[in-house]
Amino acid sequence: MGGTCRISYAQVGSPLSITIQEGAVTTTCDINTYAVGADYDDEGIPFDRNSICLKIIMRSAWLQDAITDLAEMNVESVVINASERSQPYFCIEGLGGPFGDVTIDYLPESKTEPMPGGARSKKQPSVTETFVVASLAAGMHGRLRQRYKFGLIKKASRAMALASK
């Protein structure tokens, strides 16, 4: 039994339509698309890059491991704590669990360890590819703390399992 697959895109801003026909069964999927404005700079996600106060790129598997550990402690909220000036430079805290609070510290590498990928900041945690706490956080003594409900973070764990960074 043969089937057909038809992919169509009518115009900018319209959905991408995928239609699969197999015998008497027809399945249609419309995927919403995003039409970028004329002022889009093609540099990535369109937001004010000067307002970024924390940028961390790390393997998603390591972040998912931390989220799994926090889930086992049944915490209510998660605090991301980062600083370029004082330790802990990067840590994730789970607060409000029945077993108490938990902190996962990501420590910088030893100064004696050679780095195969080139030089890194001496304060950059070893699990991060990029670690930047902008000067906007200087008003808070160089430390940035962001608090989130754990339930919202936990919903992203499946995406972390499928992602690479």
Side-chain angles (χ1 to χ4, degrees), residues 34-44 46-47:
Y34 173 70
V36 296
D39 58 341
Y40 182 67
D41 63 0
D42 201 29
E43 290 286 323
F47 58 85

Side-chain angles (χ1 to χ4, degrees), residues 34-143:
Y34 173 70
V36 296
D39 58 341
Y40 182 67
D41 63 0
D42 201 29
E43 290 286 323
I45 300 171
F47 58 85
D48 184 9
R49 295 186 183 283
N50 295 328
S51 296
I52 297 174
C53 55
L54 177 62
K55 181 178 180 180
I56 299 173
I57 299 175
M58 65 187 292
R59 291 188 58 173
S60 61
W62 291 332
L63 181 58
Q64 184 188 20
D65 289 346
I67 299 304
T68 301
D69 290 346
L70 294 175
E72 291 172 1
M73 297 296 289
N74 200 19
V75 298
E76 293 176 7
S77 62
V78 174
V79 176
I80 296 175
N81 192 343
S83 173
E84 283 195 340
R85 295 183 185 173
S86 61
Q87 288 192 1
Y89 297 109
F90 175 44
C91 72
I92 299 174
E93 302 172 62
L95 306 175
F99 305 112
D101 298 341
V102 62
T103 302
I104 301 168
D105 288 329
Y106 295 97
L107 303 174
E109 309 163 341
S110 166
K111 291 182 182 179
T112 60
E113 289 181 24
M115 287 305 302
R120 294 165 69 107
S121 167
K122 68 180 182 178
K123 297 176 184 173
Q124 180 173 344
S126 59
V127 297
T128 63
E129 177 181 306
T130 301
F131 180 75
V132 178
V133 180
S135 59
L136 294 174
M140 297 175 279
H141 306 291
R143 179 156 307 278

